[in-house]
Structure formats: C-alpha cells, structure tokens
Amino acid sequence: MDKILAINSGSSSFKYKLFSLADESVLASGLGDRIGIDGSTFSMKLADGTKHEAEVDLPNQEVAVQTLLDWLKEYGVIADVKEIVGVGHRIVNGGDLFPDSAIIDKDNIHKVFDLTNYAPLHNPAEGHGIQAFMNILPDVPQVGVFDTSFHQSMDEVHYIYSLPYEYYEKYKARKYGAHGTSVRYVSGKAAELLGKDLKDLKLVVCHLGSGASVTAVKDGKCYDTSMGFSPLAGVTMGTRSGDVDPSVLQYIMKKEGITDFNEMIDILNHKSGLLGLSGISSDMRDIRNSDDKRAKLAEAVFINRVVRYVGSYIAEMGGADAVVFTAGIGEHDDEVREGVMKPLSFMGVDFDDVANKAANEGFITKEDSKLAGLIIPTDEELMIERDVVRLAKLK
C-alpha cells in the first residue's frame, strides 16, 4: 500500500504524519524532538491508538529521518521504505519565489535557503530536513508546501508597506503572511459546513494559537492577512507583540541602553505578547486561571486585537458570511470566541452560548444568525498530503 509522509520541521524538531494514499487515513504520527540537543526523544502514535516514546540520540535531521523510517518498520506500519511514494514539507516562507507548493529537488533547494532572511528560525531547518529526506529516499518526490503561498493572491494595496517604493523593488520588502496552509484547509471546510461554493463566500479566519493571525478570504483567495513581512506583525500572540509603533522601539532602546536592534527583535518575538503583558505565561490557559490584574489585561488585549482585525476585514470585503476559529485557542477557548463574536452583534450575530461551550466542530451561532461563527479544527498535514498527490501526480 502506497503511503505519503507530511513533515513539519522546526529548528530542533519535526512533526510527522504518515497517510495512506488510498483513503487519506493517518497510519502513524509523532515527533522527533530536541534534534541536535542533549535529551532528544522520538515518539510515534499508531492508527490503533498505541503510543511509543523513547530517548533517542538525534544529533541531526538525517539521523532523525532514519529513526522515523526505522520505527515505521519496527512497529509494522511499513514493510519497506519503497511504500513511501512522496514526502511533503511545510515551509514557512516562500517569498514570491513560490506562489504555489512545488516539487523541491537539487536544482531549487537553494531557493529555500535563499529565503532565510524572511524566516531565519524556520527556513534553514526545513531546508536541511528536505535534504535529509533527499539523501535517504533519493527517488521519492519531495514537495515544499509554503505557508506564504496562499497569501500570494493579495493585491498590491494589501501587501505593500507605505515605505519608499524602492525598498519593495530592490528587496521585496512587503507583507507575506503566514498560516496559509491552515487557512486554506479551514476555508474549504467552512464552505462545506455552510453548504456553499467557496468562491461565493467571504470569510474571516482566526488562526489563534501561540502564533496567531487573522485572514480575510474572499472568492476562495486570500484578500488580506494580519501577519506581515514576518510572523511578528498583526494581533497579540503568545510571546510575539503583534503590531507596534516603530518609534516606541527606538524610545525603549534608548532608555534601556539597547544598541543592537537584533536584541529588540528578540524581545518582540520571545518576551512580549501574553507573556510580556501578564508576566505569568504565554499560554492562554494559564492566563485564564489567574486572577492577577495583568493577566486579565493580557486576555482583554488579545481579544481586542482580534476583534480589531476581524472588524476591519469585514469592512474591507464589504461584509462576511462567517468568522471561523481554528488552532489551539481558536478551537478550545470558548471565552475568547465569545469575546470576539459578541461585539459583532450589531452585524446580526445571534450567538449560541451552548454550542460555543460544547466546542465541537461546527456552528457557534444560531441558524438565523446573519453572520455565522464556526469552529473548525485545522489539518495542515492533510493539505500537505494533498499537495504531494497533486504535484507528484500520484493519482
């Protein structure tokens, strides 16, 4: 039976899912963690729910890939690596070099590394992961699935910054967005639940997790999105600041004696957001369980910034059919969903408190609501699998 791997590589880890080509069922999933770091581990969950985990020496991506293949054999998921007929890789940033997912081979792998400045923590790790699979499975198609590709449909009005235009011409300094693979899946699923053609819908997709973004989807394409040149812009996130006036950064740097702007960027990426505001945690669950005043402020700011983008995108599109919630907070936090939807009551939102608290896939608004609210668990790996099938022409 032919199978397809979907890989999501991080700087020191990779998540994976192994799909059956025949019916898209998940045969195995798991994580190689702390690659290149002491105390590395590998885990695997099988289709029958059985779980396996062990400390395994993973000095580099290639050893991690070989470990994955060895475990798939050991636990009877595959009899031979030849059963794997395609591998798909999530890649954070494709710039404007990759307006769609693409076959990655020795002739274009350098482009993934060339885009390192756009996603310095992610693209190199993802590139090395692809190279590792190329070395171990040299005859198997490798497909890059770029988070930014879905957002390439934005027009210039929405992606350009109000900077000297030459910076865009010379350096491609523009908005690229992120979470595009998730938004693509969720949008298609929303159309199914609404019983309409995606091309006839206006959606606002709230991908709310540790990283968070809001995307306007019009006629099945990205119309606008909150993340910018990097995943730092937009709404408040777990440790990322979201939108900040650049002048306040200069002011803080002078006051704090910070001379290296890279240090300021690190603060914005890793010490801000819910963590920076609350001083407690970057996890909304911890924020919710605290009675601390700053924790309450952090939660309120998070919701406010999401509402701000949702409202602006509904205005930009001239209305909307639904607001969709996905990812960790979006799928599981009923108070955040309520906090986002209830301010939209003037638009005809008829909120369903019972459905919202149940937190199942489907509607969190009543049947007669003029603007629907939906919970849809995302499945980026399934989109990766489907792109492998499409581009490698496996069906």
Side-chain angles (χ1 to χ4, degrees):
M1 180 173 63
D2 290 341
K3 301 171 179 72
I4 294 171
L5 266 172
I7 302 294
N8 187 342
S9 294
S11 58
S12 61
S13 67
F14 74 71
K15 298 177 184 177
Y16 65 88
K17 278 187 182 179
L18 183 70
F19 291 87
S20 164
L21 176 61
D23 61 4
E24 296 184 336
S25 61
V26 178
L27 305 174
S29 62
L31 172 70
D33 199 19
R34 297 176 63 84
I35 298 170
I37 304 172
D38 290 342
S40 52
T41 61
F42 201 86
S43 66
M44 180 173 288
K45 180 180 178 181
L46 305 179
D48 63 3
T50 306
K51 296 180 181 179
H52 305 277
E53 184 170 358
E55 285 195 16
V56 181
D57 187 23
L58 302 174
N60 54 52
Q61 290 275 4
E62 196 154 334
V63 171
V65 171
Q66 189 61 58
T67 300
L68 167 59
L69 299 177
D70 290 345
W71 278 43
L72 290 173
K73 286 183 182 178
E74 180 179 349
Y75 293 111
V77 185
I78 63 172
D80 192 296
V81 295
K82 291 181 180 179
E83 295 173 33
I84 299 173
V85 295
V87 183
H89 303 262
R90 177 209 176 212
I91 303 174
V92 167
N93 202 306
D96 57 4
L97 299 178
F98 293 98
D100 189 9
S101 301
I103 298 284
I104 305 296
D105 54 28
K106 292 180 179 178
D107 294 328
N108 65 1
I109 183 67
H110 68 91
K111 293 182 180 180
V112 176
F113 292 102
D114 290 345
L115 293 163
T116 291
N117 286 337
Y118 294 67
L121 295 178
H122 295 89
N123 271 46
E126 290 149 1
H128 289 306
I130 295 170
Q131 288 177 326
F133 274 96
M134 284 180 174
N135 292 335
I136 295 174
L137 301 174
D139 299 322
V140 175
Q142 308 293 321
V143 174
V145 180
F146 301 86
D147 271 358
T148 50
S149 293
F150 182 74
H151 303 303
Q152 286 292 305
S153 57
M154 284 188 290
D155 63 27
E156 195 172 33
V157 168
H158 294 110
Y159 70 66
I160 203 71
Y161 290 118
S162 302
L163 298 169
Y165 194 75
E166 64 189 85
Y167 296 150
Y168 168 66
E169 293 177 307
K170 291 195 294 186
Y171 311 121
K172 299 300 180 184
R174 51 158 286 183
K175 179 191 287 190
Y176 289 103
H179 295 145
T181 307
S182 172
V183 175
R184 186 156 54 102
Y185 172 80
V186 168
S187 298
K189 193 69 177 177
E192 290 179 24
L193 292 173
L194 291 164
K196 295 183 179 180
D197 191 314
L198 181 57
K199 293 180 180 179
D200 297 328
L201 291 172
K202 298 174 184 176
L203 306 171
V204 181
V205 177
C206 302
H207 180 110
L208 307 180
S210 180
S213 66
V214 180
T215 300
V217 179
K218 185 177 182 181
D219 305 327
K221 299 177 181 179
C222 175
Y223 188 72
D224 203 352
T225 192
S226 61
M227 284 182 167
F229 177 78
S230 78
L232 180 55
V235 301
T236 300
M237 301 174 231
T239 63
R240 298 177 205 154
S241 63
D243 296 336
V244 175
D245 180 350
S247 295
V248 79
L249 305 182
Q250 180 187 45
Y251 174 78
I252 291 169
M253 289 177 71
K254 286 181 178 179
K255 291 292 186 181
E256 291 287 314
I258 299 172
T259 57
D260 185 351
F261 195 66
N262 289 325
E263 182 179 346
M264 193 71 241
I265 290 293
D266 183 71
I267 292 169
L268 294 176
N269 270 306
H270 303 294
K271 300 177 182 179
S272 301
L274 294 176
L275 176 62
L277 285 171
S278 71
I280 294 172
S281 175
S282 62
D283 193 310
M284 183 61 83
R285 290 168 294 188
D286 297 331
I287 301 292
R288 172 87 64 250
N289 291 329
S290 174
D291 292 326
D292 184 83
K293 181 179 178 182
R294 281 173 53 187
K296 299 301 181 187
L297 173 64
E299 179 186 356
V301 169
F302 180 88
I303 292 171
N304 171 267
R305 301 309 189 260
V306 175
V307 170
R308 185 179 295 178
Y309 268 98
V310 170
S312 67
Y313 287 162
I314 291 173
E316 280 191 13
M317 293 190 293
D321 296 284
V323 177
V324 187
F325 296 90
T326 193
I329 297 172
E331 293 170 27
H332 302 294
D333 196 312
D334 61 288
E335 291 188 29
V336 167
R337 292 191 299 268
E338 180 180 354
V340 172
M341 291 301 291
K342 286 206 167 174
L344 305 176
S345 58
F346 74 98
M347 295 181 179
V349 169
D350 192 355
F351 194 67
D352 190 330
D353 290 290
V354 174
N356 182 51
K357 284 184 168 56
N360 297 318
E361 178 178 279
F363 290 87
I364 56 171
T365 47
K366 296 179 180 177
E367 192 172 345
D368 60 352
S369 183
K370 293 180 180 178
L371 176 64
L374 291 165
I375 301 171
I376 300 178
T378 192
D379 195 339
E380 293 164 298
E381 289 82 7
L382 181 59
M383 296 307 294
I384 293 170
E385 186 269 347
R386 289 175 177 174
D387 279 358
V388 174
V389 172
R390 171 171 63 91
L391 291 164
K393 297 180 171 59
L394 295 176
K395 284 187 178 179

